[in-house]
Coordinates of all heavy atoms in Angstrom, one line a residue:
L396 N 38.9 40.1 -44.8 CA 40.1 39.1 -44.7 C 41.1 39.6 -45.8 O 42.3 39.6 -45.6 CB 39.5 37.7 -44.9 CG 40.6 36.6 -45.0 CD1 41.4 36.5 -43.8 CD2 40.0 35.3 -45.3
M400 N 44.9 40.3 -45.4 CA 45.9 39.5 -46.1 C 46.9 40.4 -46.8 O 48.1 40.1 -46.9 CB 45.3 38.5 -46.9 CG 44.5 37.4 -46.3 SD 45.5 35.9 -46.2 CE 44.3 34.6 -45.8
N404 N 50.8 40.7 -46.2 CA 51.7 40.2 -47.2 C 52.6 41.4 -47.8 O 53.4 41.1 -48.7 CB 51.0 39.5 -48.4 CG 50.6 38.2 -48.0 OD1 51.4 37.4 -47.3 ND2 49.3 37.7 -48.2
P410 N 53.7 37.8 -43.3 CA 53.0 36.8 -44.1 C 52.8 35.6 -43.3 O 51.9 34.8 -43.5 CB 54.0 36.5 -45.3 CG 55.3 37.3 -44.9 CD 55.0 38.3 -44.0
E411 N 53.7 35.3 -42.2 CA 53.6 34.1 -41.5 C 52.3 34.1 -40.6 O 51.8 33.1 -40.2 CB 54.8 33.9 -40.6 CG 54.9 35.0 -39.4 CD 55.5 36.2 -39.8 OE1 55.7 36.5 -41.0 OE2 55.9 37.0 -38.9
Y412 N 51.6 35.3 -40.4 CA 50.4 35.4 -39.7 C 49.2 35.1 -40.5 O 48.0 35.1 -40.1 CB 50.3 36.8 -39.1 CG 51.2 37.0 -37.9 CD1 51.2 38.3 -37.3 CD2 51.9 36.1 -37.3 CE1 52.1 38.6 -36.3 CE2 52.7 36.4 -36.2 CZ 52.8 37.6 -35.8 OH 53.7 37.9 -34.7
T413 N 49.4 34.8 -41.9 CA 48.4 34.4 -42.6 C 48.1 32.8 -42.5 O 47.2 32.2 -43.2 CB 48.5 34.7 -44.2 OG1 49.7 33.9 -44.6 CG2 48.8 36.1 -44.4
R414 N 48.8 32.2 -41.6 CA 48.7 30.8 -41.3 C 47.5 30.8 -40.2 O 47.4 31.6 -39.3 CB 49.8 30.2 -40.6 CG 51.1 30.1 -41.5 CD 52.3 29.7 -40.5 NE 53.5 30.0 -41.2 CZ 54.3 29.1 -41.8 NH1 53.9 27.9 -41.7 NH2 55.3 29.5 -42.3
L415 N 46.8 29.8 -40.3 CA 45.7 29.5 -39.3 C 46.3 29.2 -37.9 O 45.9 29.6 -36.8 CB 44.8 28.4 -39.6 CG 43.5 28.9 -40.5 CD1 42.5 27.7 -40.6 CD2 42.7 30.1 -39.8
V431 N 42.6 36.8 -39.8 CA 42.9 35.5 -40.3 C 42.3 34.4 -39.4 O 41.6 33.6 -40.0 CB 44.4 35.3 -40.5 CG1 44.8 33.8 -40.8 CG2 45.0 36.3 -41.7
K435 N 39.5 33.3 -42.1 CA 40.1 32.1 -42.8 C 39.5 30.9 -42.2 O 39.3 29.8 -42.7 CB 41.6 32.2 -42.8 CG 42.3 31.2 -43.6 CD 43.8 31.2 -43.7 CE 44.5 30.0 -44.3 NZ 45.9 30.1 -44.3
E496 N 47.2 22.2 -45.8 CA 47.4 23.5 -46.3 C 46.6 24.6 -45.7 O 47.1 25.7 -45.4 CB 47.1 23.4 -47.9 CG 47.7 24.6 -48.7 CD 47.3 24.5 -50.2 OE1 47.3 23.3 -50.7 OE2 47.2 25.6 -50.8
W497 N 45.4 24.3 -45.4 CA 44.5 25.2 -44.8 C 45.0 25.6 -43.4 O 44.9 26.7 -43.0 CB 43.0 24.6 -44.6 CG 42.2 24.9 -45.7 CD1 42.0 24.1 -46.9 CD2 41.4 26.0 -46.0 NE1 41.0 24.6 -47.7 CE2 40.6 25.8 -47.2 CE3 41.2 27.2 -45.3 CZ2 39.9 26.8 -47.7 CZ3 40.4 28.2 -45.9 CH2 39.7 28.0 -47.0
L498 N 45.4 24.6 -42.6 CA 45.7 24.8 -41.2 C 47.3 25.3 -40.9 O 47.4 26.1 -40.1 CB 45.5 23.5 -40.5 CG 44.1 22.9 -40.5 CD1 44.0 21.8 -39.6 CD2 43.0 24.0 -40.1
Y499 N 48.0 24.9 -41.8 CA 49.5 25.2 -41.5 C 50.3 26.1 -42.5 O 51.4 26.5 -42.2 CB 50.3 23.9 -41.3 CG 49.7 23.0 -40.2 CD1 48.9 21.9 -40.2 CD2 50.1 23.5 -38.9 CE1 48.5 21.3 -39.1 CE2 49.6 22.8 -37.7 CZ 48.9 21.7 -37.9 OH 48.5 21.0 -36.9
D500 N 49.7 26.3 -43.7 CA 50.4 27.1 -44.7 C 49.9 28.5 -44.8 O 48.8 28.8 -44.3 CB 50.2 26.5 -46.1 CG 51.0 25.1 -46.2 OD1 51.7 24.8 -45.2 OD2 50.9 24.4 -47.3
E501 N 50.7 29.3 -45.3 CA 50.4 30.8 -45.5 C 49.3 30.9 -46.7 O 49.3 30.1 -47.6 CB 51.7 31.6 -45.9 CG 52.6 31.7 -44.7 CD 53.8 32.4 -44.9 OE1 54.0 32.9 -46.0 OE2 54.7 32.4 -44.0
G502 N 48.6 32.1 -46.7 CA 47.7 32.4 -47.8 C 46.4 31.5 -47.7 O 46.1 30.8 -46.8
M503 N 45.8 31.6 -48.9 CA 44.3 30.9 -49.0 C 44.5 29.9 -49.9 O 44.8 30.1 -51.1 CB 43.3 32.0 -49.3 CG 42.0 31.6 -49.3 SD 41.4 31.1 -47.7 CE 40.6 32.7 -47.3
P504 N 44.1 28.6 -49.6 CA 44.1 27.5 -50.5 C 43.0 27.7 -51.7 O 42.1 28.4 -51.5 CB 43.7 26.3 -49.7 CG 44.0 26.7 -48.3 CD 43.8 28.2 -48.2
D505 N 43.3 27.1 -52.8 CA 42.4 27.3 -54.0 C 41.0 26.7 -53.9 O 40.2 26.9 -54.8 CB 43.2 27.1 -55.2 CG 43.4 25.6 -55.4 OD1 43.1 24.8 -54.6 OD2 44.3 25.3 -56.3

Side-chain angles (χ1 to χ4, degrees):
L396 175 63
M400 288 263 199
N404 282 318
E411 69 278 14
Y412 289 170
T413 65
R414 297 166 199 259
L415 272 185
V431 171
K435 187 178 174 183
E496 194 179 331
W497 271 97
L498 303 184
Y499 294 105
D500 287 357
E501 293 175 6
M503 187 63 94
D505 61 10

